[in-house]
Amino acid sequence: NFSRVTNVIYPQEFLPRGDELAVRWAREIDAAMEAWGNLDKAELVETGGYAHNLSRLVEERYDISRDEAETLVRFFYAKQKEN
């Protein structure tokens, strides 16, 4: 089961919704700060844990392509799911 977010297809299990997303994202913010040291906690909180928001922020802050940012975010969420 897949979901299209922006121009990337994300496996549905990597895209929790609602309260589950908020709780999960609160636990993952420290890992995101470690993965992307140029992003601060307030910016990460503002993304709400949504992959498309995080991808856009990574793209802008690191001056990389949208595809590259989306790939990095997909890998980040996949790694977090394993933990």
Side-chain angles (χ1 to χ4, degrees):
N1 197 0
F2 291 87
S3 176
R4 183 170 285 281
V5 177
T6 64
N7 292 326
V8 174
I9 297 174
Y10 292 90
Q12 197 67 31
E13 65 268 16
F14 295 150
L15 297 173
R17 293 289 180 238
D19 292 340
E20 179 188 345
L21 176 64
V23 169
R24 191 165 159 187
W25 185 234
R27 291 191 314 253
E28 294 173 343
I29 284 180
D30 288 338
M33 288 175 62
E34 194 171 308
W36 297 291
N38 289 348
L39 305 179
D40 65 37
K41 191 169 189 167
E43 291 173 311
L44 291 167
V45 168
E46 192 173 308
T47 69
Y50 289 99
H52 61 279
N53 292 344
L54 183 56
S55 294
R56 192 173 302 129
L57 183 59
V58 169
E59 175 188 356
E60 291 171 2
R61 185 55 55 88
Y62 286 90
D63 194 28
I64 59 176
S65 72
R66 177 177 297 173
D67 288 341
E68 188 175 358
E70 290 171 342
T71 298
L72 291 172
V73 169
R74 265 198 318 271
F75 284 127
F76 171 78
Y77 280 118
K79 184 177 178 182
Q80 295 308 304
K81 184 166 175 47
E82 292 172 2
N83 294 335

